[in-house]
Amino acid sequence: YSELNKRIINISRILSERGITKEDVVILWMEKDPEYIECLLATWRMTAIYLPLDAKTPIERVNWIARDANAKVIITNNELLLRHRFDELGTDNSKENEKHIILDLKDLMSLVNLSEQNKDCDKPNLQADNTAYIIYTSGSTGNPKGVVVPHEGIVNFLKEQIKVFRVSSTSKVLQYLSIGFDASFSEIGISLLSGAEIRIETEEKIKNPERLI
């Protein structure tokens, strides 16, 4: 957890240097992996808002949601978006169009690995009524709609789940759901709040209970 905190601080500093500020919307379009959790928490550290999109989300849908949510940045490792949709900007391979910046997840992590922790960084200043994240509906009956979720309801919900599921610092919690599902955050949240270990496994292993256990 100490190493996780250092990486969160460095990611938030890098995002801040690229103009991300309070209440900006940050789209996380990627696989469920440790980097996703790091970017999620770094976004919160800046009192910004994260918007999760599964890596398999079609690029047209991502672009539509980015415009609808007025996203400031998209963090992704999707090669199609990185190579063909936007002009290069800067040495870090970030890319932008009229409304949002595209950050290559691999390049962002490289910068994090090279960074020294900023000991004088500001502490988070989250308020209960700040927006935590935006989750979009499937759009099966039309265009997808964004649902805004504030911080105030999250902590109590997670604490109750920790109690019901008896999660502790010795527990191992599987991140099973796609990041595009609202319920996926409970898997992450109960792990972090209880100091448990979160296990991020491949889809192949998840589909094989014997190997998973």
Side-chain angles (χ1 to χ4, degrees):
Y1 275 89
S2 174
E3 179 63 24
L4 175 62
N5 184 55
K6 291 177 183 178
R7 293 179 65 81
I8 291 167
I9 290 173
N10 284 335
I11 293 171
S12 62
R13 177 181 56 78
I14 293 168
L15 293 178
S16 178
E17 290 172 353
R18 280 151 182 76
I20 309 304
T21 59
K22 181 177 180 180
E23 296 185 344
D24 281 341
V25 176
V26 178
I27 290 180
L28 305 179
W29 183 27
M30 59 185 74
E31 302 283 353
K32 52 182 181 182
D33 54 27
E35 288 80 9
Y36 168 71
I37 297 174
E38 292 170 359
C39 290
L40 183 164
L41 295 175
T43 301
W44 276 359
R45 199 178 194 287
M46 303 175 64
T47 63
I49 303 162
Y50 85 90
L51 195 165
L53 292 176
D54 183 87
K56 296 178 182 178
T57 305
I59 191 169
E60 294 78 12
R61 178 181 169 91
V62 174
N63 283 332
W64 190 93
I65 289 175
R67 291 192 298 269
D68 186 67
N70 194 27
K72 185 70 173 288
V73 63
I74 299 175
I75 302 176
T76 186
N77 54 5
N78 183 284
E79 294 297 330
L80 178 63
L81 181 63
L82 292 169
R83 287 186 298 179
H84 301 301
R85 301 290 292 197
F86 298 92
D87 295 327
E88 291 193 4
L89 175 70
T91 57
D92 63 350
N93 289 332
S94 61
K95 304 169 177 67
E96 70 173 1
N97 67 2
E98 294 179 356
K99 292 188 177 181
H100 44 262
I101 300 168
I102 310 299
L103 287 179
D104 187 331
L105 178 63
K106 294 177 183 178
D107 288 345
L108 176 60
M109 291 301 113
S110 295
L111 290 173
V112 170
N113 293 334
L114 293 172
S115 298
E116 295 182 1
Q117 185 177 359
N118 184 356
K119 297 180 180 180
D120 299 322
C121 58
D122 294 333
K123 294 182 178 180
N125 187 29
L126 286 173
Q127 303 298 319
D129 58 351
N130 288 152
T131 298
Y133 62 92
I134 300 173
I135 197 82
Y136 268 76
T137 61
S138 64
S140 57
T141 58
N143 288 328
K145 295 179 175 60
V147 179
V148 176
V149 181
H151 282 279
E152 57 189 344
I154 294 177
V155 174
N156 290 337
F157 172 71
L158 292 177
K159 284 184 175 180
E160 189 61 28
Q161 282 196 320
I162 289 171
K163 184 188 301 182
V164 172
F165 299 146
R166 298 180 181 179
V167 182
S168 71
S169 59
T170 61
S171 299
K172 295 181 180 180
V173 180
L174 175 66
Q175 188 182 359
Y176 175 76
L177 296 171
S178 161
I179 66 172
F181 287 104
D182 190 25
S184 67
F185 180 72
S186 68
E187 299 167 343
I188 299 170
I190 62 175
S191 304
L192 296 175
L193 276 185
S194 61
E197 176 184 337
I198 184 165
R199 300 301 300 267
I200 305 171
E201 303 290 356
T202 63
E203 292 298 323
E204 180 184 0
K205 186 176 288 189
I206 288 175
K207 293 176 181 178
N208 189 327
E210 291 185 357
R211 287 188 61 194
L212 182 62
I213 294 173

